[in-house]
Amino acid sequence: MREFELEPGEHVVLEARKHWFLFLGELLPYAILLILPFALPKLLVLAPPMAQYASVFDYHTILGRAGLGVWLLIWWTSAWGAFTRYFLNAWVLTNMRIVNIKQRRYFYRAVSSLFLSRVQDVTTDVNGVLSSILGIGDIKVQTAGEDIEFVMKGIPHPEKMRDVILRYVSLKPQNTGV
Amino acid sequence: MPDQPLQPFAPPTALLQYLPSGLNISPGLVVTWTLYAVFAFWALYTLVAIYHWLKYSHASWIAFPAIAVHLVVSFVIMSYALSGPAYFLAPYLP
């Protein structure tokens, strides 16, 4: 771990990221933009008043080919950047604490820890038909005393994560090393 | 709504005549150097992203396939943009 050092006796229990279905939803605009230069000429042909514009999309010329190449490169790289940010945003649960890693954008990274000894309440929230079917939900961890809470939205099977957190919260301090 | 059909874009050849006579810049050369500029920006962005993958991915095995796929796909797109027809795009081109 580069962001935080594990204490003696500490080990990673699980890592959680946003549900893959939500990530696919984030990729959808990129996919539409990637296929747009291929789909648009064919769609224009289907609409007779607009058919004359289809000839603008000629990718056999140097300029057309370069334009298409740049277009594809921009949106492919953007989609890959979205995957990078998806992967680098994570919750790490150890037997001592919860680590919330937020990668908002490149070079903007926030890592915060919440020790399990301070956890007072863990709440899960699954709303909607699709979320219930796919097991997508939010989890909120609140601490005793201060109004600090960790919230992670759109994680897979939040109730399982809640059970794991509560299992480690309920362990005796000597077992958790806290 | 425009009442005239769009015309295919033509490189600004009229502007090129104002360049010094010794400079013989063809539209193809302009396109090529524009592509190189775009690729340079891509290289910078990719380096930053790879740095984050290698530093913050917790030594995950996903990092290397993710980087490899990005590089391969990008190089294929770049080679298409620079040099011409690509068999993988041919069925989809109008």
Side-chain angles (χ1 to χ4, degrees):
Chain A
M1 296 286 173
R2 296 290 187 92
E3 297 88 352
F4 60 97
E5 295 293 328
L6 293 174
E7 301 290 329
E10 185 179 19
H11 63 269
V12 174
V13 177
L14 62 84
E15 283 187 34
R17 289 183 178 79
K18 197 183 282 186
H19 197 281
W20 60 266
F21 186 79
L22 299 178
F23 172 62
L24 283 185
E26 287 179 16
L27 283 186
L28 192 62
Y30 298 110
I32 292 171
L33 287 165
L34 278 168
I35 63 169
L36 195 64
F38 306 104
L40 203 54
K42 291 171 181 168
L43 292 175
L44 288 175
V45 170
L46 296 177
M50 307 293 285
Q52 56 192 335
Y53 299 117
S55 62
V56 173
F57 299 89
D58 182 8
Y59 303 125
H60 298 96
T61 62
I62 291 175
L63 199 62
R65 198 179 64 214
L68 178 62
V70 169
W71 180 268
L72 295 178
L73 192 65
I74 287 171
W75 296 116
W76 162 254
T77 305
S78 300
W80 186 70
F83 176 64
T84 303
R85 286 189 300 280
Y86 160 77
F87 193 81
L88 297 184
N89 276 286
W91 258 29
V92 182
L93 174 66
T94 74
N95 58 330
M96 292 184 185
R97 56 184 159 157
I98 302 164
V99 182
N100 188 7
I101 303 169
K102 284 185 179 174
Q103 183 82 48
R104 291 187 177 88
R105 52 188 184 273
Y106 294 130
F107 298 113
Y108 286 86
R109 189 169 175 82
V111 180
S112 45
S113 294
L114 176 67
F115 281 92
L116 295 178
S117 58
R118 299 178 61 197
V119 171
Q120 188 178 42
D121 184 37
V122 182
T123 311
T124 60
D125 192 8
V126 179
N127 284 322
V129 178
L130 199 60
S131 297
S132 300
I133 293 170
L134 295 172
I136 305 170
D138 305 338
I139 188 165
K140 186 165 70 177
V141 180
Q142 287 177 303
T143 60
E146 299 169 30
D147 290 332
I148 299 172
E149 59 179 33
F150 270 27
V151 181
M152 191 168 191
K153 294 180 181 293
I155 64 167
H157 306 294
E159 66 284 349
K160 286 183 184 172
M161 183 149 186
R162 178 199 59 205
D163 293 345
V164 174
I165 291 171
L166 291 177
R167 191 190 313 151
Y168 280 91
V169 166
S170 63
L171 288 177
K172 290 180 180 176
Q174 61 265 31
N175 290 341
T176 60
V178 177
Chain B
M1 287 289 290
D3 56 356
Q4 295 295 318
L6 292 174
Q7 297 300 315
F9 176 76
T13 49
L15 293 177
L16 294 178
Q17 66 185 346
Y18 295 106
L19 290 172
S21 56
L23 282 176
N24 187 17
I25 298 175
S26 67
L29 194 64
V30 173
V31 169
T32 303
W33 280 101
T34 305
L35 286 177
Y36 285 153
V38 172
F39 297 162
F41 184 79
W42 169 90
L44 190 65
Y45 182 92
T46 300
L47 276 177
V48 168
I50 288 175
Y51 166 80
H52 280 76
W53 269 107
L54 297 181
K55 189 166 183 184
Y56 300 122
S57 68
H58 308 176
S60 171
W61 62 270
I62 297 176
F64 294 102
I67 293 168
V69 167
H70 171 62
L71 293 178
V72 168
V73 172
S74 296
F75 284 133
V76 168
I77 294 172
M78 286 177 190
S79 61
Y80 164 74
L82 275 174
S83 61
Y87 66 91
F88 62 95
L89 283 178
Y92 310 104
L93 291 175

